[in-house]
């Protein structure tokens, strides 16, 4: 019953009957592990060979731009699935580095077991398709969104477009001149707008670092 309750927290298993979940728990090889605070779970570029479910604790996510000019640090708490869309497709590698902020409990399902679940459990198959379809639709819609009306909205769009999870605490490691280059604007205008946002309590500026306590509040 404890495994049943843990699995039911995740969208991949929601909608499954009690009998189906008991079959999954009894016939699927589940891996159980703990991760101490500060330890790395996966590194950017590692092969994704299994589904990883965070059942308790919190993880930090660090994503680095291709030219290493910008780095983003996010935080997520359980329940959370680590990049399930990377298990299949043309690029089956993690795009970010995940580390434990505090002690974490994890459940893992190897890819071969996932394939068996996809073959035998219709609800699981539909849930995974929904996750991938939602991500694809969200990304394809980005180019059709209304253009930002001013520099503050462009900066906000920049922050949102580089985060895996569109809410919560974020830290951007980027120089002011690099942000100006990314947004095709002057460093002075970028600095003035960021200082206005800081006065509004939306973020905190440091040398080479921008801390955003609540990303969703930027939309307000």
């Amino acid at each position: 019953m404890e495994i049943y309750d843990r699995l039911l927290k995740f969208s991949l298993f929601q909608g499954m009957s009690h009998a189906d979940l008991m079959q999954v728990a009894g016939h699927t090889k589940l891996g159980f592990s703990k991760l101490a605070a500060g330890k790395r779970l996966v590194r950017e570029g590692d092969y994704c060979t299994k589904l990883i479910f965070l059942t308790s604790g919190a993880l930090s996510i660090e994503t680095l731009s291709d030219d290493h000019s910008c780095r983003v640090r996010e935080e997520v708490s359980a329940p959370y699935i680590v990049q399930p869309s990377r298990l299949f497709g043309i690029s089956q590698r993690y795009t970010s580095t995940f580390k434990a902020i505090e002690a974490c409990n994890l459940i893992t399902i190897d890819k071969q077991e996932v394939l068996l679940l996809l073959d035998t459990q219709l609800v699981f198959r539909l849930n995974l398709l929904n996750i991938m379809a939602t991500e694809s639709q969200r990304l394809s819609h980005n180019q059709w969104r209304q253009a930002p009306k001013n520099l503050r909205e462009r900066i906000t769009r920049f922050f949102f477009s580089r985060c895996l999870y569109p809410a919560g605490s974020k830290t951007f490691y980027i120089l002011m001149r690099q942000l100006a280059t990314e947004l095709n604007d002057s460093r002075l205008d970028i600095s003035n707008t960021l200082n206005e946002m800081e006065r509004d309590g939306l973020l905190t500026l440091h040398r080479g670092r921008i801390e955003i306590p609540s990303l969703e509040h930027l939309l307000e």
Side-chain angles (χ1 to χ4, degrees):
M1 290 302 297
E2 182 181 357
I3 297 175
Y4 172 87
D5 291 336
R6 288 189 191 182
L7 294 179
L8 204 55
K9 294 179 180 179
F10 298 94
S11 58
L12 276 174
F13 299 98
Q14 290 176 4
M16 296 179 70
S17 68
H18 181 272
D20 287 339
L21 277 171
M22 288 298 97
Q23 183 178 4
V24 170
H27 296 86
T28 304
K29 295 178 182 178
L30 304 176
F32 297 89
S33 60
K34 296 180 181 292
L35 189 67
K39 294 294 185 179
R40 185 174 64 241
L41 177 59
V42 297
R43 189 200 299 269
E44 175 191 358
D46 286 351
Y47 278 109
C48 180
T49 60
K50 56 191 173 185
L51 288 178
I52 303 175
F53 301 86
L54 176 68
T55 59
S56 68
L59 296 170
S60 71
I61 310 172
E62 287 199 357
T63 309
L64 189 65
S65 64
D66 288 347
D67 62 0
H68 293 194
S69 63
C70 178
R71 179 164 54 95
V72 185
R73 186 178 186 274
E74 309 176 58
E75 296 180 5
V76 292
S77 300
Y80 183 78
I81 309 175
V82 179
Q83 294 195 310
S85 61
R86 290 287 157 174
L87 193 62
F88 302 99
I90 192 171
S91 177
Q92 298 175 23
R93 294 177 182 268
Y94 294 104
T95 60
S96 304
T97 297
F98 292 76
K99 293 181 180 179
I101 299 174
E102 56 191 49
C104 296
N105 286 304
L106 307 161
I107 294 177
T108 57
I109 306 179
D110 288 339
K111 188 171 183 176
Q112 288 301 317
E113 294 294 319
V114 173
L115 291 173
L116 288 174
L117 286 173
L118 292 172
D119 187 49
T120 59
Q121 299 292 337
L122 175 61
V123 176
F124 182 88
R125 182 161 68 248
L126 291 175
N127 286 338
L128 184 58
L129 285 173
N130 281 332
I131 288 174
M132 295 182 174
T134 299
E135 182 174 339
S136 174
Q137 292 166 7
R138 178 178 60 82
L139 292 174
S140 65
H141 180 67
N142 282 343
Q143 59 187 332
W144 298 105
R145 294 168 60 192
Q146 184 178 6
K149 298 182 180 66
N150 50 52
L151 183 54
R152 178 181 286 215
E153 290 188 3
R154 286 162 56 201
I155 291 174
T156 298
R157 178 74 61 87
F158 176 88
F159 290 146
F160 267 89
S161 65
R162 283 154 179 80
C163 293
L164 291 183
Y165 186 69
S169 172
K170 315 291 178 185
T171 303
F172 280 77
Y173 297 87
I174 186 171
L175 296 175
M176 200 77 71
R177 66 173 180 271
Q178 180 61 34
L179 185 56
T181 299
E182 295 283 350
L183 297 176
N184 194 28
D185 212 311
S186 71
R187 184 187 182 284
L188 179 60
D189 287 344
I190 294 292
S191 178
N192 289 339
T193 303
L194 286 174
N195 277 284
E196 289 177 2
M197 297 172 75
E198 184 175 37
R199 288 193 293 271
D200 290 340
L202 297 174
L203 50 81
T204 304
L205 298 175
H206 304 274
R207 185 176 180 84
R209 186 173 88 253
I210 302 171
E211 294 184 356
I212 304 172
S214 181
L215 184 68
E216 61 271 27
H217 286 171
L218 296 185
L219 297 176
E220 300 173 1

